[in-house]
Amino acid sequence: MKVLISVDMEGVSGIVHPAETNPDGHDYAHGRALMTAEANAVIAGVLDAEPTAEVRVADAHGSFRNLLPEELDRRAHLVRGKPRPLGMLGGLDEQTDAVLLVGYHARAGGGPAVLAHTMNDGILDVRVAGRSMGEIGLNAAMAGHLGVPVVLLSGDDSACAELQELLPSAVTVAVKQALGQGAAVALHPEEARERLRHAAAEAITRCGQVSPLSLAGPFDVEVDLSTPFMVDLATLVPAVARREGGRTVSFTAADFADAYRLVLLLAQLATIRPS
C-alpha cells in the first residue's frame, strides 16, 4: 500500500496565531515541533494498520520546509521544498492508495475557523463551477482526479465540516473547536496525537469505503484577488481574463489538474508586491 500524508500547520492542536506558523514568529519553533509530532502520530497509525505500507509525508505549509526532518518517524519519506509538482500534494501519483490531510484549515471566508485562508492572503476565494473551494476542496479534487481518495482530515471543527461536506465517508479528527480566526478550545497535544493515531489506523482500514472526489470537467474557475495589482499580474497569463468588479479573474480548464496548477500559479503571483 502507498500512502501520502499532507501536513499543514494552522490546523494543528494548540496553534491559533501566525506567530506560531510563520518563520519570523517568536513561537515558530514550537509550532514546528507540534506539527512534526502530529505527523508522527498519523504515520504510526497508518503503519499500525498496514505495517508494510510505503508512507510519504508532504510538508505542505508555507515554504514547505517546516517539519523537522530529524524528528520525523524514520519509516516515512519526507517530501520537502518548493516549487514542486502538485504543491501541497507533492509525492502524489496514480499508484497512491490514500491521502491523509493533517493540520488543515478552513477556506477563506469560512468559519468561525482558526487562521482560515486559501493558499495565502492574496486570494479571497476560489470558485470551481460556482462552488467555493479552499485548500481542502482543491486538494481532495486533485487527488480524486488521479483516482485517489482523501480518507482522513484533521484540523479545527470548521475544517472537518468542510471535508465532510465533500466526502461524508472520510474520517475526521477535530483537534480544536474554533472560537474565531485567532482563538480556539484545543485538545491537549498528547490527547490529539492519540486520537490521530487511532483515526489514521481506522481510515486506512476502511480506505476502500471512501470514493475519490471525482469532478467532471471542463471547469470554469473564478479567483477573487485582494488587490488590483494582483489582478493586473494574473491577466498576464494568457488563459486568464479579468472579470467585472475589479478583483476577480477567471479561466476555463479542460480537467482538474489544469485548474489546480493554474490556481497554484495565481497564488504564487499573489505574493508579489509592487516594486
Side-chain angles (χ1 to χ4, degrees):
M1 188 174 197
K2 188 173 182 179
V3 175
L4 177 70
I5 303 170
S6 174
V7 189
D8 206 350
M9 203 169 190
E10 289 88 353
V12 168
S13 182
I15 288 181
V16 295
H17 193 277
E20 299 163 321
T21 66
N22 189 314
D24 296 327
H26 57 81
D27 286 331
Y28 173 64
H30 185 226
R32 296 180 77 188
L34 291 173
M35 178 188 186
T36 305
E38 288 203 0
N40 282 338
V42 175
I43 295 167
V46 168
L47 294 173
D48 287 345
E50 287 285 343
T52 61
E54 176 188 342
V55 180
R56 292 183 178 182
V57 178
D59 190 322
H61 174 71
S63 66
F64 296 170
R65 292 183 290 109
N66 309 277
L67 291 167
L68 300 168
E70 70 277 14
E71 299 295 332
L72 196 69
D73 190 317
R74 64 186 298 169
R75 296 173 294 176
H77 299 276
L78 176 60
V79 184
R80 191 170 193 258
K82 68 189 310 183
R84 67 191 186 205
L86 300 185
M88 297 175 77
L89 295 176
L92 178 70
D93 57 31
E94 293 174 335
Q95 285 71 52
T96 305
D97 296 292
V99 170
L100 296 85
L101 307 179
V102 179
Y104 267 61
H105 54 81
R107 65 181 181 269
V114 177
L115 299 175
H117 65 277
T118 298
M119 302 294 185
N120 57 49
D121 292 339
I123 292 184
L124 302 177
D125 194 20
V126 176
R127 293 178 298 281
V128 180
R131 173 191 283 180
S132 179
M133 280 191 169
E135 293 164 35
I136 293 169
L138 292 168
N139 287 319
M142 183 62 236
H145 175 74
L146 296 179
V148 184
V150 171
V151 300
L152 176 139
L153 178 135
S154 72
D156 69 13
D157 53 325
S158 291
C160 291
E162 205 167 301
L163 183 70
Q164 287 168 342
E165 183 179 339
L166 298 168
L167 294 169
S169 299
V171 176
T172 58
V173 183
V175 299
K176 53 194 172 188
Q177 178 183 359
L179 299 177
Q181 181 73 6
V185 179
L187 296 177
H188 188 282
E190 291 182 2
E191 175 66 21
R193 292 167 205 157
E194 280 188 27
R195 295 190 188 189
L196 284 169
R197 181 168 185 168
H198 291 305
E202 178 189 355
I204 293 302
T205 300
R206 351 180 2 249
C207 180
Q209 300 175 34
V210 183
S211 299
L213 180 60
S214 180
L215 304 179
F219 298 97
D220 292 325
V221 182
E222 294 179 312
V223 180
D224 295 340
L225 298 166
S226 64
T227 70
F229 177 75
M230 294 175 188
V231 173
D232 292 341
L233 281 179
T235 55
L236 296 177
V237 179
V240 177
R242 186 190 307 264
R243 298 293 297 272
E244 293 183 8
R247 73 177 188 186
T248 302
V249 297
S250 65
F251 62 89
T252 299
D255 59 33
F256 202 86
D258 286 348
Y260 185 85
R261 292 189 188 98
L262 195 40
V263 169
L264 292 185
L265 176 59
L266 294 180
Q268 191 62 42
L269 291 177
T271 66
I272 299 173
R273 298 295 181 263
S275 58

PDB file of all heavy atoms in Angstrom, residues 77-112:
ATOM      1  N   HIS A  77       9.062   8.696   4.228  1.00  0.00           N
ATOM      2  CA  HIS A  77       9.880   9.503   3.333  1.00  0.00           C
ATOM      3  C   HIS A  77       9.302  10.913   3.311  1.00  0.00           C
ATOM      4  O   HIS A  77       8.096  11.102   3.133  1.00  0.00           O
ATOM      5  CB  HIS A  77       9.890   8.922   1.924  1.00  0.00           C
ATOM      6  CG  HIS A  77      10.453   7.544   1.843  1.00  0.00           C
ATOM      7  ND1 HIS A  77      11.801   7.289   1.742  1.00  0.00           N
ATOM      8  CD2 HIS A  77       9.844   6.335   1.869  1.00  0.00           C
ATOM      9  CE1 HIS A  77      12.006   5.990   1.690  1.00  0.00           C
ATOM     10  NE2 HIS A  77      10.826   5.390   1.780  1.00  0.00           N
ATOM     11  N   LEU A  78      10.158  11.928   3.464  1.00  0.00           N
ATOM     12  CA  LEU A  78       9.725  13.313   3.551  1.00  0.00           C
ATOM     13  C   LEU A  78       9.823  13.987   2.183  1.00  0.00           C
ATOM     14  O   LEU A  78      10.864  13.956   1.533  1.00  0.00           O
ATOM     15  CB  LEU A  78      10.584  14.069   4.564  1.00  0.00           C
ATOM     16  CG  LEU A  78      10.322  15.570   4.711  1.00  0.00           C
ATOM     17  CD1 LEU A  78       8.889  15.846   5.147  1.00  0.00           C
ATOM     18  CD2 LEU A  78      11.317  16.175   5.715  1.00  0.00           C
ATOM     19  N   VAL A  79       8.716  14.623   1.752  1.00  0.00           N
ATOM     20  CA  VAL A  79       8.689  15.437   0.535  1.00  0.00           C
ATOM     21  C   VAL A  79       8.771  16.889   1.002  1.00  0.00           C
ATOM     22  O   VAL A  79       7.852  17.389   1.658  1.00  0.00           O
ATOM     23  CB  VAL A  79       7.406  15.196  -0.285  1.00  0.00           C
ATOM     24  CG1 VAL A  79       7.456  15.994  -1.586  1.00  0.00           C
ATOM     25  CG2 VAL A  79       7.221  13.710  -0.569  1.00  0.00           C
ATOM     26  N   ARG A  80       9.858  17.579   0.642  1.00  0.00           N
ATOM     27  CA  ARG A  80      10.174  18.873   1.248  1.00  0.00           C
ATOM     28  C   ARG A  80      10.621  19.865   0.182  1.00  0.00           C
ATOM     29  O   ARG A  80      11.299  19.502  -0.766  1.00  0.00           O
ATOM     30  CB  ARG A  80      11.283  18.657   2.276  1.00  0.00           C
ATOM     31  CG  ARG A  80      11.592  19.818   3.206  1.00  0.00           C
ATOM     32  CD  ARG A  80      12.530  19.352   4.315  1.00  0.00           C
ATOM     33  NE  ARG A  80      12.623  20.330   5.383  1.00  0.00           N
ATOM     34  CZ  ARG A  80      13.654  21.166   5.535  1.00  0.00           C
ATOM     35  NH1 ARG A  80      14.670  21.131   4.674  1.00  0.00           N
ATOM     36  NH2 ARG A  80      13.669  22.040   6.518  1.00  0.00           N
ATOM     37  N   GLY A  81      10.256  21.140   0.346  1.00  0.00           N
ATOM     38  CA  GLY A  81      10.737  22.195  -0.526  1.00  0.00           C
ATOM     39  C   GLY A  81       9.789  22.524  -1.668  1.00  0.00           C
ATOM     40  O   GLY A  81       8.870  21.775  -1.979  1.00  0.00           O
ATOM     41  N   LYS A  82      10.034  23.675  -2.297  1.00  0.00           N
ATOM     42  CA  LYS A  82       9.189  24.178  -3.376  1.00  0.00           C
ATOM     43  C   LYS A  82      10.013  25.023  -4.325  1.00  0.00           C
ATOM     44  O   LYS A  82      11.100  25.463  -3.957  1.00  0.00           O
ATOM     45  CB  LYS A  82       8.018  24.958  -2.801  1.00  0.00           C
ATOM     46  CG  LYS A  82       8.398  26.273  -2.128  1.00  0.00           C
ATOM     47  CD  LYS A  82       7.283  26.947  -1.363  1.00  0.00           C
ATOM     48  CE  LYS A  82       5.962  27.137  -2.069  1.00  0.00           C
ATOM     49  NZ  LYS A  82       4.979  27.876  -1.252  1.00  0.00           N
ATOM     50  N   PRO A  83       9.503  25.271  -5.554  1.00  0.00           N
ATOM     51  CA  PRO A  83       8.254  24.765  -6.128  1.00  0.00           C
ATOM     52  C   PRO A  83       8.381  23.297  -6.495  1.00  0.00           C
ATOM     53  O   PRO A  83       9.486  22.783  -6.709  1.00  0.00           O
ATOM     54  CB  PRO A  83       8.075  25.623  -7.388  1.00  0.00           C
ATOM     55  CG  PRO A  83       9.463  25.978  -7.788  1.00  0.00           C
ATOM     56  CD  PRO A  83      10.227  26.138  -6.506  1.00  0.00           C
ATOM     57  N   ARG A  84       7.241  22.626  -6.575  1.00  0.00           N
ATOM     58  CA  ARG A  84       7.237  21.204  -6.905  1.00  0.00           C
ATOM     59  C   ARG A  84       5.894  20.850  -7.531  1.00  0.00           C
ATOM     60  O   ARG A  84       4.896  21.546  -7.300  1.00  0.00           O
ATOM     61  CB  ARG A  84       7.495  20.351  -5.667  1.00  0.00           C
ATOM     62  CG  ARG A  84       6.378  20.416  -4.628  1.00  0.00           C
ATOM     63  CD  ARG A  84       6.789  19.787  -3.316  1.00  0.00           C
ATOM     64  NE  ARG A  84       5.659  19.730  -2.386  1.00  0.00           N
ATOM     65  CZ  ARG A  84       5.785  19.700  -1.068  1.00  0.00           C
ATOM     66  NH1 ARG A  84       6.979  19.723  -0.518  1.00  0.00           N
ATOM     67  NH2 ARG A  84       4.722  19.622  -0.295  1.00  0.00           N
ATOM     68  N   PRO A  85       5.870  19.783  -8.321  1.00  0.00           N
ATOM     69  CA  PRO A  85       4.600  19.361  -8.920  1.00  0.00           C
ATOM     70  C   PRO A  85       3.550  19.076  -7.844  1.00  0.00           C
ATOM     71  O   PRO A  85       3.849  18.468  -6.821  1.00  0.00           O
ATOM     72  CB  PRO A  85       4.974  18.084  -9.676  1.00  0.00           C
ATOM     73  CG  PRO A  85       6.435  18.207  -9.936  1.00  0.00           C
ATOM     74  CD  PRO A  85       6.993  18.937  -8.747  1.00  0.00           C
ATOM     75  N   LEU A  86       2.373  19.581  -8.052  1.00  0.00           N
ATOM     76  CA  LEU A  86       1.199  19.338  -7.202  1.00  0.00           C
ATOM     77  C   LEU A  86       1.277  19.981  -5.826  1.00  0.00           C
ATOM     78  O   LEU A  86       0.473  19.677  -4.946  1.00  0.00           O
ATOM     79  CB  LEU A  86       0.907  17.833  -7.073  1.00  0.00           C
ATOM     80  CG  LEU A  86       0.612  17.113  -8.389  1.00  0.00           C
ATOM     81  CD1 LEU A  86       0.207  15.661  -8.109  1.00  0.00           C
ATOM     82  CD2 LEU A  86      -0.481  17.816  -9.188  1.00  0.00           C
ATOM     83  N   GLY A  87       2.199  20.888  -5.621  1.00  0.00           N
ATOM     84  CA  GLY A  87       2.183  21.711  -4.415  1.00  0.00           C
ATOM     85  C   GLY A  87       2.019  20.948  -3.118  1.00  0.00           C
ATOM     86  O   GLY A  87       2.868  20.147  -2.739  1.00  0.00           O
ATOM     87  N   MET A  88       0.900  21.191  -2.416  1.00  0.00           N
ATOM     88  CA  MET A  88       0.671  20.568  -1.110  1.00  0.00           C
ATOM     89  C   MET A  88       0.562  19.053  -1.206  1.00  0.00           C
ATOM     90  O   MET A  88       0.678  18.368  -0.189  1.00  0.00           O
ATOM     91  CB  MET A  88      -0.602  21.143  -0.473  1.00  0.00           C
ATOM     92  CG  MET A  88      -0.530  22.629  -0.174  1.00  0.00           C
ATOM     93  SD  MET A  88      -2.087  23.309   0.455  1.00  0.00           S
ATOM     94  CE  MET A  88      -2.028  22.731   2.162  1.00  0.00           C
ATOM     95  N   LEU A  89       0.335  18.543  -2.399  1.00  0.00           N
ATOM     96  CA  LEU A  89       0.225  17.095  -2.608  1.00  0.00           C
ATOM     97  C   LEU A  89       1.498  16.530  -3.231  1.00  0.00           C
ATOM     98  O   LEU A  89       1.460  15.498  -3.904  1.00  0.00           O
ATOM     99  CB  LEU A  89      -0.984  16.777  -3.494  1.00  0.00           C
ATOM    100  CG  LEU A  89      -2.348  17.123  -2.898  1.00  0.00           C
ATOM    101  CD1 LEU A  89      -3.456  16.848  -3.911  1.00  0.00           C
ATOM    102  CD2 LEU A  89      -2.607  16.360  -1.600  1.00  0.00           C
ATOM    103  N   GLY A  90       2.613  17.182  -3.027  1.00  0.00           N
ATOM    104  CA  GLY A  90       3.874  16.702  -3.573  1.00  0.00           C
ATOM    105  C   GLY A  90       4.125  15.250  -3.184  1.00  0.00           C
ATOM    106  O   GLY A  90       4.006  14.881  -2.015  1.00  0.00           O
ATOM    107  N   GLY A  91       4.455  14.421  -4.173  1.00  0.00           N
ATOM    108  CA  GLY A  91       4.653  12.993  -3.922  1.00  0.00           C
ATOM    109  C   GLY A  91       3.468  12.145  -4.318  1.00  0.00           C
ATOM    110  O   GLY A  91       3.562  10.919  -4.333  1.00  0.00           O
ATOM    111  N   LEU A  92       2.342  12.785  -4.655  1.00  0.00           N
ATOM    112  CA  LEU A  92       1.147  12.041  -5.067  1.00  0.00           C
ATOM    113  C   LEU A  92       1.303  11.531  -6.496  1.00  0.00           C
ATOM    114  O   LEU A  92       1.812  12.240  -7.362  1.00  0.00           O
ATOM    115  CB  LEU A  92      -0.080  12.946  -4.986  1.00  0.00           C
ATOM    116  CG  LEU A  92      -1.410  12.341  -5.425  1.00  0.00           C
ATOM    117  CD1 LEU A  92      -1.875  11.289  -4.431  1.00  0.00           C
ATOM    118  CD2 LEU A  92      -2.470  13.436  -5.590  1.00  0.00           C
ATOM    119  N   ASP A  93       0.852  10.311  -6.736  1.00  0.00           N
ATOM    120  CA  ASP A  93       0.778   9.783  -8.098  1.00  0.00           C
ATOM    121  C   ASP A  93      -0.386   8.801  -8.184  1.00  0.00           C
ATOM    122  O   ASP A  93      -1.075   8.549  -7.190  1.00  0.00           O
ATOM    123  CB  ASP A  93       2.095   9.133  -8.544  1.00  0.00           C
ATOM    124  CG  ASP A  93       2.559   8.004  -7.627  1.00  0.00           C
ATOM    125  OD1 ASP A  93       1.693   7.316  -7.026  1.00  0.00           O
ATOM    126  OD2 ASP A  93       3.775   7.790  -7.504  1.00  0.00           O
ATOM    127  N   GLU A  94      -0.600   8.266  -9.373  1.00  0.00           N
ATOM    128  CA  GLU A  94      -1.746   7.386  -9.592  1.00  0.00           C
ATOM    129  C   GLU A  94      -1.608   6.050  -8.888  1.00  0.00           C
ATOM    130  O   GLU A  94      -2.585   5.300  -8.794  1.00  0.00           O
ATOM    131  CB  GLU A  94      -1.964   7.185 -11.092  1.00  0.00           C
ATOM    132  CG  GLU A  94      -2.413   8.458 -11.801  1.00  0.00           C
ATOM    133  CD  GLU A  94      -2.491   8.292 -13.306  1.00  0.00           C
ATOM    134  OE1 GLU A  94      -1.780   7.413 -13.837  1.00  0.00           O
ATOM    135  OE2 GLU A  94      -3.261   9.035 -13.940  1.00  0.00           O
ATOM    136  N   GLN A  95      -0.424   5.735  -8.394  1.00  0.00           N
ATOM    137  CA  GLN A  95      -0.222   4.486  -7.650  1.00  0.00           C
ATOM    138  C   GLN A  95      -0.518   4.656  -6.157  1.00  0.00           C
ATOM    139  O   GLN A  95      -0.492   3.678  -5.399  1.00  0.00           O
ATOM    140  CB  GLN A  95       1.212   3.974  -7.833  1.00  0.00           C
ATOM    141  CG  GLN A  95       1.478   3.346  -9.202  1.00  0.00           C
ATOM    142  CD  GLN A  95       1.511   4.377 -10.312  1.00  0.00           C
ATOM    143  OE1 GLN A  95       2.218   5.370 -10.215  1.00  0.00           O
ATOM    144  NE2 GLN A  95       0.743   4.140 -11.368  1.00  0.00           N
ATOM    145  N   THR A  96      -0.792   5.875  -5.742  1.00  0.00           N
ATOM    146  CA  THR A  96      -1.111   6.129  -4.338  1.00  0.00           C
ATOM    147  C   THR A  96      -2.500   5.577  -4.023  1.00  0.00           C
ATOM    148  O   THR A  96      -3.435   5.715  -4.815  1.00  0.00           O
ATOM    149  CB  THR A  96      -1.061   7.639  -4.042  1.00  0.00           C
ATOM    150  OG1 THR A  96       0.213   8.149  -4.428  1.00  0.00           O
ATOM    151  CG2 THR A  96      -1.282   7.917  -2.556  1.00  0.00           C
ATOM    152  N   ASP A  97      -2.637   4.948  -2.855  1.00  0.00           N
ATOM    153  CA  ASP A  97      -3.908   4.345  -2.461  1.00  0.00           C
ATOM    154  C   ASP A  97      -4.767   5.258  -1.592  1.00  0.00           C
ATOM    155  O   ASP A  97      -5.993   5.112  -1.563  1.00  0.00           O
ATOM    156  CB  ASP A  97      -3.645   3.039  -1.705  1.00  0.00           C
ATOM    157  CG  ASP A  97      -2.970   1.996  -2.574  1.00  0.00           C
ATOM    158  OD1 ASP A  97      -3.621   1.501  -3.504  1.00  0.00           O
ATOM    159  OD2 ASP A  97      -1.777   1.702  -2.339  1.00  0.00           O
ATOM    160  N   ALA A  98      -4.134   6.176  -0.871  1.00  0.00           N
ATOM    161  CA  ALA A  98      -4.901   7.026   0.042  1.00  0.00           C
ATOM    162  C   ALA A  98      -4.113   8.285   0.366  1.00  0.00           C
ATOM    163  O   ALA A  98      -2.885   8.268   0.435  1.00  0.00           O
ATOM    164  CB  ALA A  98      -5.231   6.274   1.333  1.00  0.00           C
ATOM    165  N   VAL A  99      -4.857   9.375   0.583  1.00  0.00           N
ATOM    166  CA  VAL A  99      -4.286  10.643   1.034  1.00  0.00           C
ATOM    167  C   VAL A  99      -4.882  10.977   2.393  1.00  0.00           C
ATOM    168  O   VAL A  99      -6.093  10.826   2.607  1.00  0.00           O
ATOM    169  CB  VAL A  99      -4.570  11.776   0.034  1.00  0.00           C
ATOM    170  CG1 VAL A  99      -4.194  13.134   0.621  1.00  0.00           C
ATOM    171  CG2 VAL A  99      -3.823  11.550  -1.274  1.00  0.00           C
ATOM    172  N   LEU A 100      -4.040  11.447   3.314  1.00  0.00           N
ATOM    173  CA  LEU A 100      -4.479  11.908   4.623  1.00  0.00           C
ATOM    174  C   LEU A 100      -4.031  13.353   4.785  1.00  0.00           C
ATOM    175  O   LEU A 100      -2.849  13.670   4.570  1.00  0.00           O
ATOM    176  CB  LEU A 100      -3.898  11.044   5.742  1.00  0.00           C
ATOM    177  CG  LEU A 100      -4.328   9.570   5.766  1.00  0.00           C
ATOM    178  CD1 LEU A 100      -3.458   8.718   4.845  1.00  0.00           C
ATOM    179  CD2 LEU A 100      -4.250   9.011   7.195  1.00  0.00           C
ATOM    180  N   LEU A 101      -4.957  14.234   5.133  1.00  0.00           N
ATOM    181  CA  LEU A 101      -4.687  15.660   5.292  1.00  0.00           C
ATOM    182  C   LEU A 101      -4.619  15.983   6.784  1.00  0.00           C
ATOM    183  O   LEU A 101      -5.619  15.837   7.494  1.00  0.00           O
ATOM    184  CB  LEU A 101      -5.776  16.489   4.610  1.00  0.00           C
ATOM    185  CG  LEU A 101      -6.068  16.167   3.135  1.00  0.00           C
ATOM    186  CD1 LEU A 101      -7.198  17.057   2.617  1.00  0.00           C
ATOM    187  CD2 LEU A 101      -4.823  16.314   2.274  1.00  0.00           C
ATOM    188  N   VAL A 102      -3.481  16.436   7.244  1.00  0.00           N
ATOM    189  CA  VAL A 102      -3.241  16.643   8.676  1.00  0.00           C
ATOM    190  C   VAL A 102      -2.937  18.115   8.944  1.00  0.00           C
ATOM    191  O   VAL A 102      -2.163  18.746   8.218  1.00  0.00           O
ATOM    192  CB  VAL A 102      -2.056  15.768   9.150  1.00  0.00           C
ATOM    193  CG1 VAL A 102      -1.766  15.990  10.637  1.00  0.00           C
ATOM    194  CG2 VAL A 102      -2.350  14.303   8.876  1.00  0.00           C
ATOM    195  N   GLY A 103      -3.566  18.667   9.985  1.00  0.00           N
ATOM    196  CA  GLY A 103      -3.302  20.058  10.354  1.00  0.00           C
ATOM    197  C   GLY A 103      -3.867  21.056   9.371  1.00  0.00           C
ATOM    198  O   GLY A 103      -3.355  22.171   9.252  1.00  0.00           O
ATOM    199  N   TYR A 104      -4.957  20.711   8.689  1.00  0.00           N
ATOM    200  CA  TYR A 104      -5.534  21.585   7.667  1.00  0.00           C
ATOM    201  C   TYR A 104      -6.485  22.614   8.286  1.00  0.00           C
ATOM    202  O   TYR A 104      -6.945  22.454   9.429  1.00  0.00           O
ATOM    203  CB  TYR A 104      -6.260  20.751   6.614  1.00  0.00           C
ATOM    204  CG  TYR A 104      -5.374  20.390   5.434  1.00  0.00           C
ATOM    205  CD1 TYR A 104      -4.214  19.638   5.602  1.00  0.00           C
ATOM    206  CD2 TYR A 104      -5.691  20.824   4.152  1.00  0.00           C
ATOM    207  CE1 TYR A 104      -3.388  19.322   4.530  1.00  0.00           C
ATOM    208  CE2 TYR A 104      -4.879  20.508   3.065  1.00  0.00           C
ATOM    209  CZ  TYR A 104      -3.733  19.759   3.256  1.00  0.00           C
ATOM    210  OH  TYR A 104      -2.917  19.464   2.186  1.00  0.00           O
ATOM    211  N   HIS A 105      -6.774  23.660   7.530  1.00  0.00           N
ATOM    212  CA  HIS A 105      -7.613  24.765   7.984  1.00  0.00           C
ATOM    213  C   HIS A 105      -8.732  25.011   6.991  1.00  0.00           C
ATOM    214  O   HIS A 105      -8.667  24.572   5.837  1.00  0.00           O
ATOM    215  CB  HIS A 105      -6.772  26.039   8.124  1.00  0.00           C
ATOM    216  CG  HIS A 105      -6.021  26.374   6.868  1.00  0.00           C
ATOM    217  ND1 HIS A 105      -6.597  27.025   5.802  1.00  0.00           N
ATOM    218  CD2 HIS A 105      -4.739  26.105   6.504  1.00  0.00           C
ATOM    219  CE1 HIS A 105      -5.713  27.154   4.834  1.00  0.00           C
ATOM    220  NE2 HIS A 105      -4.569  26.594   5.231  1.00  0.00           N
ATOM    221  N   ALA A 106      -9.739  25.753   7.419  1.00  0.00           N
ATOM    222  CA  ALA A 106     -10.880  26.068   6.561  1.00  0.00           C
ATOM    223  C   ALA A 106     -10.501  27.098   5.505  1.00  0.00           C
ATOM    224  O   ALA A 106      -9.473  27.773   5.590  1.00  0.00           O
ATOM    225  CB  ALA A 106     -12.036  26.582   7.410  1.00  0.00           C
ATOM    226  N   ARG A 107     -11.348  27.217   4.495  1.00  0.00           N
ATOM    227  CA  ARG A 107     -11.098  28.133   3.386  1.00  0.00           C
ATOM    228  C   ARG A 107     -11.316  29.587   3.815  1.00  0.00           C
ATOM    229  O   ARG A 107     -11.974  29.871   4.824  1.00  0.00           O
ATOM    230  CB  ARG A 107     -12.027  27.812   2.215  1.00  0.00           C
ATOM    231  CG  ARG A 107     -13.499  28.035   2.473  1.00  0.00           C
ATOM    232  CD  ARG A 107     -14.337  27.672   1.249  1.00  0.00           C
ATOM    233  NE  ARG A 107     -15.759  27.897   1.459  1.00  0.00           N
ATOM    234  CZ  ARG A 107     -16.600  26.993   1.932  1.00  0.00           C
ATOM    235  NH1 ARG A 107     -16.160  25.785   2.238  1.00  0.00           N
ATOM    236  NH2 ARG A 107     -17.879  27.276   2.086  1.00  0.00           N
ATOM    237  N   ALA A 108     -10.781  30.496   3.005  1.00  0.00           N
ATOM    238  CA  ALA A 108     -11.004  31.924   3.219  1.00  0.00           C
ATOM    239  C   ALA A 108     -12.500  32.208   3.253  1.00  0.00           C
ATOM    240  O   ALA A 108     -13.250  31.733   2.394  1.00  0.00           O
ATOM    241  CB  ALA A 108     -10.340  32.734   2.112  1.00  0.00           C
ATOM    242  N   GLY A 109     -12.933  32.938   4.250  1.00  0.00           N
ATOM    243  CA  GLY A 109     -14.355  33.249   4.378  1.00  0.00           C
ATOM    244  C   GLY A 109     -15.133  32.203   5.137  1.00  0.00           C
ATOM    245  O   GLY A 109     -16.305  32.414   5.454  1.00  0.00           O
ATOM    246  N   GLY A 110     -14.511  31.058   5.439  1.00  0.00           N
ATOM    247  CA  GLY A 110     -15.190  30.034   6.231  1.00  0.00           C
ATOM    248  C   GLY A 110     -15.104  30.372   7.708  1.00  0.00           C
ATOM    249  O   GLY A 110     -14.296  31.171   8.143  1.00  0.00           O
ATOM    250  N   GLY A 111     -15.968  29.744   8.468  1.00  0.00           N
ATOM    251  CA  GLY A 111     -15.787  29.941   9.886  1.00  0.00           C
ATOM    252  C   GLY A 111     -17.068  30.153  10.673  1.00  0.00           C
ATOM    253  O   GLY A 111     -18.150  30.049  10.111  1.00  0.00           O
ATOM    254  N   PRO A 112     -16.863  30.393  11.977  1.00  0.00           N
ATOM    255  CA  PRO A 112     -15.576  30.726  12.586  1.00  0.00           C
ATOM    256  C   PRO A 112     -14.567  29.598  12.404  1.00  0.00           C
ATOM    257  O   PRO A 112     -14.903  28.422  12.544  1.00  0.00           O
ATOM    258  CB  PRO A 112     -15.897  30.960  14.061  1.00  0.00           C
ATOM    259  CG  PRO A 112     -17.168  30.197  14.285  1.00  0.00           C
ATOM    260  CD  PRO A 112     -17.926  30.273  12.999  1.00  0.00           C
TER     261      PRO A 112
END
